[in-house]
Amino acid sequence: MALILLGCAQPRTKVEQAGEADFARYHKLGVAPFSDPRGQGRLMADSVNAGLRKLLYEPADPVALMRILANHKPNQDSGMSLEALELIRLQTGADAIVLGRMTPDWSALLLTVVETELGEPVLHAVARPRNKKQAAFASADEVVQETLRILAGRR
């Protein structure tokens, strides 16, 4: 019985800081289009970008970031080549890049933040809808709000 109760008490979103990096030192964030089977990844990235200022982050130039990402796409593990990270850092000034990926059924958001200096992940998160009765995120806006909650928790 105790195991069942513990299972119910688990948070819907799990955030893990990767490595020893101090997330507070990242002030300028770039947001890549989310990997999304429903085709709303660019919309989600634009909305997260718009919300960054409210969290006291400076958004990196999205046009310059999109130009770089067109030639250097993140791989399946949300990793990027050092060449791409160097270009992003030099051309956008981003301290870190936010990479989001939706599961095919939208039941979870996988979020990774990668610093641009060495390409090390500094944060991993798995987010599920806040409403426990919901099996999947209902809208891109819900995904954006959860992403911003995760980033706000790092400030």
Side-chain angles (χ1 to χ4, degrees):
M1 183 69 159
L3 290 175
I4 292 171
L5 292 176
L6 286 175
C8 294
Q10 291 182 345
R12 301 290 290 166
T13 296
K14 295 180 183 179
V15 180
E16 174 184 301
Q17 184 168 330
E20 299 294 317
D22 177 13
F23 202 87
R25 75 182 192 113
Y26 305 114
H27 302 286
K28 192 170 192 176
L29 299 180
V31 183
F34 286 31
S35 175
D36 166 39
R38 296 186 187 176
Q40 296 185 44
R42 178 72 184 257
L43 170 71
M44 289 187 274
D46 290 345
S47 296
V48 169
N49 226 1
L52 288 177
R53 286 199 192 280
K54 292 177 187 170
L55 301 178
L56 303 178
Y57 291 107
E58 181 183 348
D61 178 1
V63 174
L65 181 60
M66 294 309 119
R67 191 172 46 246
I68 295 165
L69 292 176
N71 295 319
H72 303 276
K73 297 192 186 306
N75 67 28
Q76 187 72 333
D77 298 323
S78 295
M80 299 189 73
S81 72
L82 288 176
E83 177 187 4
L85 291 167
E86 181 179 2
L87 287 171
I88 290 169
R89 190 174 58 257
L90 291 173
Q91 293 181 19
T92 71
D95 299 313
I97 303 297
V98 177
L99 302 161
R101 183 167 38 114
M102 299 302 298
T103 56
D105 63 357
W106 271 41
S107 63
L109 160 67
L110 310 172
L111 196 69
T112 301
V113 179
V114 178
E115 57 90 13
T116 58
E117 194 172 334
L118 297 173
E120 296 293 324
V122 293
L123 178 126
H124 294 290
V126 176
R128 302 198 188 288
R130 293 182 79 69
N131 181 345
K132 292 182 181 184
K133 294 179 181 180
Q134 260 181 268
F137 286 98
S139 67
D141 188 55
E142 278 186 28
V143 175
V144 169
Q145 294 308 314
E146 191 61 26
T147 301
L148 292 172
R149 270 189 209 93
I150 292 167
L151 295 174
R154 302 294 98 197
R155 275 292 193 215

